[in-house]
Amino acid sequence: MTEPIVTREEDRTVVQPAGDMVAAYVPELRLLLRDMVNGGARDLVLDLSKTEMVDSTGIGLVIGTYNSLNRVGGRLTVIHASRDVLQLFQTMRMHQRFPISGD
Amino acid sequence: MIPPVEAACEFRREIPANLAAVEEFCMSMRRWALSMQLPNRFPVELLTREALINAVVHGCACDSSKKVACVVRLRPGRVIIAVNDRSPGFNWRAVWKRTPITDSCSGRGLAIIRQYAHRLRFNRCGNSLIMIKRLTKEGNR
């Protein structure tokens, strides 16, 4: 899979994975997101416009990133989730913890 | 060894127990499901992924010398997904009704299977799982 796209807009950091957030690709994405938080990102946006599938490992990554940001007073927002991914996140009650929006 | 089969209504593979093989399987299955114009592709792929990850990670400890078999069968109004490996299995009864801890980064695979499958059955030792997903025109759960 190609590299995620990272853009910075003032204090906000937007990370757009290049594809699915699934077990095979989560380790490299985890390193990137960890570096972002350790590097000072506090307003992190996960843009899922290129993500068709998220599995339980990908959900774990999103929760882990939220936990890391929460510990340092930061915040996580998920945008452009597909209808299926949005429904999965809602089923897993992730929308109760941080903002998640669809296409 | 089970040969690859992509007959009209069945997709079958035996893969080595590693995550790259799971990904390759799922992408091939996605193309097959598209070619079959299968509705509810997302939940079918999600169920397949979760069952395969369980077998590869928990059943076979990601040991590529071990094999995991998976078959996805299209039947009128439903899809049957069967995944099995030759590991000793696991005590699924002990974790079956466990609710994922809200802050935990893991432990959601079985919860997803419970939510998305209409029917499912483990064998006694827990190294074989059959799931049935009813196909619907509306909604993907």
Side-chain angles (χ1 to χ4, degrees):
Chain A
M1 194 165 71
T2 51
E3 293 282 308
I5 297 171
V6 178
T7 51
R8 288 183 177 82
E9 304 161 356
E10 298 179 356
D11 293 337
R12 173 172 285 199
T13 305
V14 181
V15 177
Q16 184 189 70
D20 296 339
M21 288 178 60
V22 294
Y25 301 124
V26 157
E28 57 186 296
L29 205 48
R30 180 179 289 121
L31 287 177
L32 174 76
L33 291 170
R34 190 174 289 166
D35 285 350
M36 295 281 159
V37 177
N38 290 342
R42 294 295 177 263
D43 184 0
L44 192 63
V45 177
L46 201 52
D47 176 350
L48 299 187
S49 48
K50 296 201 166 144
T51 302
E52 278 186 61
M53 173 60 62
V54 179
D55 65 11
S56 59
T57 320
I59 289 174
L61 173 64
V62 177
I63 295 283
T65 305
Y66 165 78
N67 290 342
S68 301
L69 284 163
N70 201 33
R71 276 195 291 271
V72 293
R75 68 174 178 175
L76 175 69
T77 308
V78 175
I79 61 171
H80 299 314
S82 70
R83 190 179 65 125
D84 291 322
V85 171
L86 193 60
Q87 195 172 36
L88 172 64
F89 284 2
Q90 287 169 345
T91 301
M92 293 290 112
R93 299 179 180 179
M94 293 162 72
H95 63 297
Q96 295 174 351
R97 319 186 74 206
F98 46 83
I100 302 171
S101 61
D103 287 328
Chain B
M1 181 179 165
I2 302 173
V5 174
E6 285 174 57
C9 56
E10 183 171 294
F11 186 87
R12 178 192 294 261
R13 291 276 194 287
E14 189 175 69
I15 62 169
N18 64 65
L19 293 176
V22 171
E23 187 58 24
E24 195 180 326
F25 177 95
C26 289
M27 295 315 291
S28 299
M29 193 191 79
R30 189 183 290 182
R31 287 191 290 274
W32 171 78
L34 269 169
S35 73
M36 299 296 294
Q37 297 183 307
L38 180 73
N40 312 116
R41 286 191 294 274
F42 181 90
V44 169
E45 182 180 328
L46 182 61
L47 285 167
T48 306
R49 282 182 179 276
E50 297 302 338
L52 283 171
I53 291 169
N54 266 348
V56 164
V57 175
H58 301 298
C60 301
C62 293
D63 178 350
S64 293
S65 69
K66 295 179 178 169
K67 302 287 185 192
V68 176
C70 180
V71 58
V72 181
R73 285 194 191 100
L74 184 54
R75 291 287 183 265
R78 66 192 195 279
V79 173
I80 303 165
I81 305 158
V83 173
N84 64 78
D85 62 81
R86 295 184 196 108
S87 72
F90 77 111
N91 183 6
W92 55 270
R93 295 168 195 81
V95 294
W96 181 237
K97 290 191 176 173
R98 190 179 294 166
T99 304
I101 299 164
T102 314
D103 288 337
S104 175
C105 299
S106 60
R108 289 179 177 78
L110 283 178
I112 288 173
I113 289 173
R114 267 204 321 261
Q115 289 284 341
Y116 278 80
H118 286 107
R119 290 181 63 190
L120 56 99
R121 191 173 67 204
F122 280 103
N123 67 350
R124 190 180 297 262
C125 71
N127 66 3
S128 175
L129 171 62
I130 297 173
M131 302 172 286
I132 295 176
K133 173 70 189 168
R134 280 201 298 269
L135 299 176
T136 56
K137 285 182 184 170
E138 295 293 326
N140 253 344
R141 277 203 35 215

